[in-house]
Amino acid sequence: RRIGARIALADESGFMLRPTVRRTWAPAGQTPICRCWDRRDRLSAISAITVSPKRHRLDLCFRIMGHNVRTEDFERFGVALLRRPGSLILVLDRYQVHRSAAKRLLRRFPRRLSVEWLPAYAPDLNPAEQVWNRAKYTDLPNFVPDDTRELHRAVRRSFKKTASQHRLLKSFFKHAGLTL
């Protein structure tokens, strides 16, 4: 707040055509069965929860791709975050893609960007991890898409729903032990 910078906590995850099977309710003796293809097609997604310096406004920015996240993808996502005026503090875990993209971004935007690193093996400290938890275990459990287009639509719908719920985004910070 003192330097007027936005903070962006970013992470990435994958979504497969095979469903995340969760326990569910069903009438006695009628066990629900998820029938799906044994396909390994998948989508990858990057998301960042941004905190504005003034009114602690929270936003969820995301990008969904049909391939594994590469350095170039994460760099483009960082550039998109920097389109808004002002400086940005990017908080990342130590994944190799993040480290190499951060180096490139720092070279391109040395005055507007600073990077802070989360401790190794501490996903519980990153509120952005809860975006994946919400999508996989609340919005899309037992969901069996026919193809990656249908999966893409469902993931996008889940992210948009999450982005529209300010209280939910705030709870992700509480879960990580962070106060706004």
Side-chain angles (χ1 to χ4, degrees), residues 152-169:
H152 187 283
R153 283 191 299 268
V155 170
R156 183 176 183 78
R157 195 170 34 250
S158 171
F159 289 167
K160 283 190 172 255
K161 182 175 156 187
T162 300
S164 69
Q165 298 177 24
H166 186 267
R167 277 188 161 156
L168 181 61
L169 292 174

Side-chain angles (χ1 to χ4, degrees), residues 73-135:
D73 301 319
F74 206 86
E75 183 181 5
R76 276 193 295 272
F77 186 72
V79 169
L81 290 174
L82 284 160
R83 283 194 185 123
R84 289 191 182 166
S87 56
L88 178 71
I89 300 170
L90 191 56
V91 181
L92 302 169
D93 59 24
R94 297 173 188 271
Y95 180 45
Q96 180 59 41
V97 168
H98 296 168
R99 291 188 306 210
S100 52
K103 282 182 189 176
R104 291 180 185 185
L105 287 166
L106 285 168
R107 267 189 252 127
R108 288 176 65 181
F109 305 98
R111 294 178 189 207
R112 291 191 53 215
L113 178 69
S114 62
V115 177
E116 296 294 329
W117 300 102
L118 291 169
Y121 305 108
D124 49 319
L125 296 178
N126 190 350
E129 289 283 345
Q130 295 308 309
V131 173
W132 314 127
N133 247 354
R134 176 78 180 179

Side-chain angles (χ1 to χ4, degrees), residues 8 20 24 34 51 62 93 106 108 138 149 158 163-164 168 172:
T20 302
T24 185
C34 291
V51 183
F62 62 90
D93 59 24
L106 285 168
R108 288 176 65 181
T138 302
R149 285 180 29 199
S158 171
S164 69
L168 181 61
F172 294 167

Side-chain angles (χ1 to χ4, degrees), residues 44-61:
S44 294
I46 304 171
S47 78
I49 300 176
T50 61
V51 183
S52 71
K54 293 187 180 173
R55 289 174 271 143
H56 292 301
R57 181 179 169 189
L58 300 175
D59 285 319
L60 177 65
C61 306

Side-chain angles (χ1 to χ4, degrees), residues 15-35:
F15 294 87
M16 297 187 71
L17 282 181
R18 299 182 82 192
T20 302
V21 179
R22 300 285 290 183
R23 186 177 298 199
T24 185
W25 293 97
Q30 297 178 15
T31 305
I33 298 172
C34 291
R35 297 196 191 282

